[in-house]
Amino acid sequence: MLTRKHSIDGKEPFANAAELFRSLDAEAAMKLAMMAGDVTLVLDDTGTILDASFDPREFPSFSGWIGSNWIETVTDESRPKIMEMLAAARRGEVQHWRQVNHPSRDGEVPIRYAVLSINGGANRIAFGRDLREAGKLQQRLLQVQQSLERDYLRMRQLEARYRMLFERSTEAVLIIEAASLRIREANPAAHTLVGARTGSLPGKKLPSVLDKGSHEALQGLVGAALVSDTVSPARIRLSRGARDVMVTVTGFTQDRGQFLLVRLVPASDKIIAPSSPVLDLVDQMPDAFVVADANLEIVTANAAFVELLQAASVDQLRGRHLSDSIGRPGIDLDLIEGQIDQHGSARNVSTVLRTGGDVEGEPVELSAVRTGGEDPYYAFVIRPIGRRLRDLPPGSQDLPRSVEQLTELVGRMSLKDIVRESTDLIERLCIEAALSYTSDNRASAAEILGLSRQSLYSKLHRYGLGNLAGDND
């Protein structure tokens, strides 16, 4: 409603909207009506379209409507709505917006209409608003909502799996706030290990479940975990039962806060005391020493083995299979196990040590033994021999002298190396036969072999045959 009066160009203003519209002539009123909606239809009392206003670029299928009945331009399910709107307009009732759909080649076009009676009820004007953009927005909103629901369901499933693993894990696990060392979560195994009632650990501080003498070691472990990814486990004593556990701490960030993943493992009674002179001597050995379990997974190793594999610490190697670092895959370790089964030990086995995924690797000698019992362990002593082989004078490495010796190399060398050794063997035997046939006359030997003198001298030097200074030409 127009309630305020303002003077416009010195003329008396209109009192209300009705007075304003009554002042418009027929042409101005029609223009105003045509501009009121995206689609404007002028109808007679029967619903026949007398005139229409719309953008033909937006509604190309609407052309040709003039003269046809409005109800014929909509889909079957929208026809009852058209009839209800026309009936309400005849009765002079207040119109509510109703959505109808118009068929087109590109699909249905949704339009929301309201019908207004004019000229004393003889004609009607239907104002329509295009709902396609709103429909697209609704569709995008629905897609976003469905995507959120899928993500929410996926997160629920991940949380359920995490919770199941966390609760059923036999290893004691705690989630700790790094700043306050307050326990946020603890699985049932952790409650059992520390002797606490189920559900009583969350909210307590981690030092409260540890012996007072272990608090300093815990602080050092936490500080190291916050600045490094590889932290060696530490032995810490629990307050209840004075039981020792091995504690592993890993730091992580979540929701802009720092947390610690703490794993507790009971310290094994079989472990030799740290002050044992045996461990000290083994750790100081210049040769690499490694102990593996029945599955050939590394249990412990000395400093020389850690340095040989270029690892950061022995903790980085624990649990790794020996085949990842020693021998050619699927060959050497199987042969070594076979020798141990047959002879009780393997002595001075030539193999390779692989680092960084190198298949060839560095040549090493390996000796191994195995303990008895149901849960055996393997002990390996490894000695690099690459420098020794490089320091040998040319020709001092004895080549195989027969086919039988070549076949013995299968399993110890790759096929490429065996073929190379075979070629060297044949070449050396032929040169020796030629020298013998010519009474060590190298010029004649070179002629028999089809080689130049320089090529023959080079091969003689390579295989260490004869004295190059004494040439019997």
Side-chain angles (χ1 to χ4, degrees), residues 281-294:
L281 291 174
V282 169
D283 194 59
Q284 295 176 20
M285 284 176 55
D287 292 337
F289 179 82
V290 58
V291 177
D293 59 14

Side-chain angles (χ1 to χ4, degrees), residues 110-289:
I111 303 292
R112 187 169 60 175
Y113 285 102
V115 180
L116 175 66
S117 296
I118 58 174
N119 296 334
N123 298 103
R124 286 122 179 85
I125 295 181
F127 301 96
R129 296 178 180 174
D130 188 4
L131 298 181
R132 285 177 295 184
E133 288 299 325
K136 293 178 181 178
L137 290 176
Q138 290 178 351
Q139 185 66 25
R140 285 199 290 269
L141 179 62
L142 179 61
Q143 291 174 353
V144 171
Q145 183 178 0
Q146 291 175 345
S147 177
L148 290 175
E149 290 177 354
R150 286 193 298 268
D151 292 342
Y152 176 72
L153 179 61
R154 190 180 301 111
M155 292 298 296
R156 287 284 302 274
Q157 292 172 346
L158 287 174
E159 182 181 0
R161 288 194 288 268
Y162 155 75
R163 182 59 56 184
M164 181 181 66
L165 291 173
F166 185 73
E167 297 292 339
R168 296 188 180 182
S169 174
T170 57
E171 185 179 46
V173 181
L174 303 99
I175 306 298
I176 310 295
E177 296 177 2
S180 62
L181 295 182
R182 191 176 301 278
I183 301 174
R184 290 286 295 269
E185 292 189 57
N187 66 347
H191 288 83
T192 303
L193 183 62
V194 303
R197 181 172 48 84
T198 302
S200 61
L201 286 180
K204 293 184 178 180
K205 290 192 174 183
L206 182 59
S208 65
V209 300
L210 302 179
D211 185 75
K212 292 183 178 180
S214 300
H215 290 182
E216 184 176 350
L218 175 65
Q219 291 291 345
L221 197 61
V222 169
L226 293 177
V227 298
S228 175
D229 294 333
T230 57
V231 180
S232 301
R235 184 185 289 263
I236 288 180
R237 176 161 294 187
L238 299 176
S239 59
R240 292 190 181 183
R243 186 179 184 182
D244 286 352
V245 294
M246 299 302 295
V247 181
T248 304
V249 181
T250 305
F252 66 95
T253 303
Q254 186 179 31
D255 294 333
R256 298 184 179 181
Q258 286 187 314
F259 295 87
L260 301 169
L261 176 67
V262 178
R263 295 180 294 157
L264 307 177
V265 179
S268 175
D269 296 334
K270 297 181 181 179
I271 297 178
I272 303 176
S275 59
S276 170
V278 176
L279 280 183
D280 295 338
L281 291 174
V282 169
D283 194 59
Q284 295 176 20
M285 284 176 55
D287 292 337
F289 179 82

Side-chain angles (χ1 to χ4, degrees), residues 21 53 56 75 97 102 197 202 219-220 266 290 301 343-344 351 361 373 392 421:
F21 285 109
S53 174
T75 58
W97 293 96
H102 296 280
R197 181 172 48 84
Q219 291 291 345
V290 58
H343 305 291
T351 180
L392 290 176
E421 296 288 351

